[in-house]
Amino acid sequence: MKTFLKLLLLVLVAAGIYLFVFYKTPQQRTFEKTLAAARTGDVQAAMDVAALYASGTGLPAPDGNQAAEWYRKAAAGGQMQAAWQLAQLYTQGKLVKQDLEEAAVYLQAAARGGVADAQNELARFYTEGLGGLSAHPAEALFWQLQAAAGGNEAAQTAVQDVQLENPQLYEEISRFSEVFKQTEQGDGEAALEVGQAFASGYPRARNAEDAFYWLSKAWQAQLPQAAYELSQLYQKGEGVEKDEAKAMELLGAAAQAKNPDAQYLLGEMAYGANPPKYEDAFAWFSNAAAGGQAQGQYMTGFMLMQGQGTPKSIDLAIKFFRQAAEQNYVAAQYVLGQIYWKGLGVPADKKEGEQWLRRAADNGNAAAKALLEGK
């Protein structure tokens, strides 16, 4: 009997040890199954296992580092909710060390991926200047508008506040948002406008990489202005690796497509060559002038006045100077004023000369102001 009881006790102890060592709770089994799927590259499983690591479900305790790692993998696979969750981990600083700059990276990814909560949080970063982002009310409002459209109530309230307190900003960014939506339909003109906005920093924050992306889209739609502006990015190495050969290729393409800015720049390069290529310069400047480019009109007039690369003609020079001056090109206003004031190649006309000198002075031309004060 005693032997039987001992054997029974040993069996029970062995069973207990077996259960202790080998038994797994449903939560543990779920975790292991999800982890196995995530390791095969399943993006949704990566997202799920990250959430399990974050909550500690099926684990002895939460593991923030592993949660961050799997959220990062899911985000890299295109799961934008994972990018948002990762941004929250770095913002809250509970499971991982707080890192607002890292949070900003993933906030931007999630916001661009259409996650409304991330868009609203990114707006807060731009409002307060967090995570290495400069405070930028227009950028904040843009993302609030996107979040509001996605149903985020806090963003909807914030947008209403801006509409009341700063109607001009609201109108500017609302219009930009509408243009931005048009890019989704492959609208080349919209892509050009968006690219120019990012290149100039108005109305949104300046972003050379985004400028390059959208201008490239616009050039795919065969818009010459896009080729010109892309050439400038390649020339300066902004938003893309510096490549002077590519810059010249795009500049030439834009000029051949009759883009006045590109034509003017080629004229400027020919004029400044050593030795100067006056005939080439005059050809490009006059083409730019024909396209309504004020600088091209001025330089065409200047070369006609000097007889550089073309027969000298005061009458034609005055015609081009006047075209540029009427576009409020200050140098042309000053030169045209001098021509009439002093009678340079034409009968002196003080009244006409003073009119143009006055406009140049009002536009900040110190020489015109000095000439008028010494009359």
Side-chain angles (χ1 to χ4, degrees), residues 298 321-322 325-326 328-344 348-375:
Y298 172 78
F321 283 140
R322 187 179 295 276
E326 287 174 348
N328 221 29
Y329 192 69
V330 181
Q333 293 170 341
Y334 173 64
V335 170
L336 195 58
Q338 274 198 318
I339 288 172
Y340 284 113
W341 183 272
K342 298 178 179 179
L344 302 176
D349 186 335
K350 291 281 187 179
K351 184 177 179 181
E352 180 83 358
E354 182 174 350
Q355 173 191 331
W356 288 111
L357 288 171
R358 184 72 60 194
R359 288 180 64 174
D362 289 345
N363 285 320
N365 187 286
K369 185 177 181 181
L371 191 58
L372 288 169
E373 289 175 348
K375 66 179 180 179

Side-chain angles (χ1 to χ4, degrees), residues 10-360:
L10 286 172
V11 169
L12 290 173
V13 169
I17 292 172
Y18 177 85
L19 289 172
F20 179 77
V21 173
F22 296 103
Y23 175 75
K24 294 177 182 176
T25 67
Q27 291 87 349
Q28 289 173 320
R29 293 181 185 280
T30 297
F31 173 81
E32 290 182 356
K33 181 179 179 180
T34 307
L35 179 60
R39 285 173 172 164
T40 67
D42 185 321
V43 175
Q44 184 57 52
M47 172 81 173
D48 293 341
V49 82
L52 293 173
Y53 271 119
S55 66
T57 303
L59 295 163
D63 188 330
N65 290 328
Q66 282 295 323
E69 182 64 23
W70 284 104
Y71 277 136
R72 189 174 287 108
K73 289 178 179 179
Q79 176 51 270
M80 290 300 98
Q81 280 291 340
W84 164 229
Q85 294 296 332
L86 185 55
Q88 288 187 93
L89 283 183
Y90 284 116
T91 301
Q92 294 165 357
K94 293 179 180 178
L95 294 177
V96 295
K97 183 179 178 181
Q98 186 182 59
D99 188 336
L100 294 184
E101 290 191 8
E102 191 75 1
V105 170
Y106 289 99
L107 270 181
Q108 291 178 87
R112 290 175 179 178
V115 181
D117 289 340
Q119 292 166 340
N120 187 55
E121 181 70 350
L122 182 58
R124 184 175 76 88
F125 270 48
Y126 274 113
T127 297
E128 300 178 21
L130 302 176
L133 302 176
S134 299
H136 199 293
E139 194 72 21
L141 179 57
F142 173 81
W143 289 113
Q144 284 167 340
L145 282 167
Q146 310 314 303
N152 185 284
E153 293 182 1
Q156 290 167 353
T157 300
V159 167
Q160 290 172 358
D161 290 343
V162 175
Q163 188 174 10
L164 290 172
E165 296 168 8
N166 195 339
Q168 181 178 346
L169 178 63
Y170 175 81
E171 289 299 327
E172 288 176 351
I173 299 303
S174 293
R175 182 192 173 281
F176 179 87
S177 296
E178 289 303 314
V179 173
F180 195 82
K181 287 179 184 177
Q182 293 169 22
T183 64
E184 298 173 1
Q185 281 74 52
D187 187 321
E189 291 288 351
L192 175 62
E193 186 171 340
V194 169
Q196 289 173 324
F198 282 121
S200 67
Y202 179 82
R204 290 187 59 189
R206 189 173 186 276
N207 187 313
E209 289 78 13
D210 283 349
F212 178 79
Y213 175 83
W214 289 110
L215 290 172
S216 297
K217 291 284 186 182
W219 179 227
Q220 288 172 13
Q222 298 298 303
L223 298 181
Q225 184 66 26
Y228 167 72
E229 299 200 26
L230 280 171
S231 77
Q232 299 308 289
L233 293 180
Y234 274 110
Q235 182 66 39
K236 299 171 186 175
E238 295 182 350
V240 67
E241 186 175 348
K242 185 180 176 70
D243 188 334
E244 294 186 359
K246 185 66 175 178
M248 285 302 300
E249 176 190 330
L250 286 164
L251 187 64
Q256 291 298 330
K258 299 184 179 181
N259 177 263
D261 291 332
Q263 292 171 333
Y264 172 79
L265 188 53
L266 286 176
E268 193 176 62
M269 293 168 66
Y271 192 87
N274 187 17
K277 300 176 181 178
Y278 288 135
E279 290 186 2
D280 288 347
F282 183 78
W284 286 120
F285 284 143
S286 57
N287 280 326
Q293 215 257 14
Q295 289 174 291
Q297 292 164 345
Y298 172 78
M299 283 304 299
T300 300
F302 181 84
M303 295 188 76
L304 282 162
M305 197 83 174
Q306 302 297 320
Q308 295 176 328
T310 184
K312 184 174 182 177
S313 173
I314 304 297
D315 290 341
L316 279 176
I318 289 173
K319 171 189 171 184
F320 284 102
F321 283 140
R322 187 179 295 276
Q323 288 176 357
E326 287 174 348
Q327 292 199 68
N328 221 29
Y329 192 69
V330 181
Q333 293 170 341
Y334 173 64
V335 170
L336 195 58
Q338 274 198 318
I339 288 172
Y340 284 113
W341 183 272
K342 298 178 179 179
L344 302 176
V346 296
D349 186 335
K350 291 281 187 179
K351 184 177 179 181
E352 180 83 358
E354 182 174 350
Q355 173 191 331
W356 288 111
L357 288 171
R358 184 72 60 194
R359 288 180 64 174

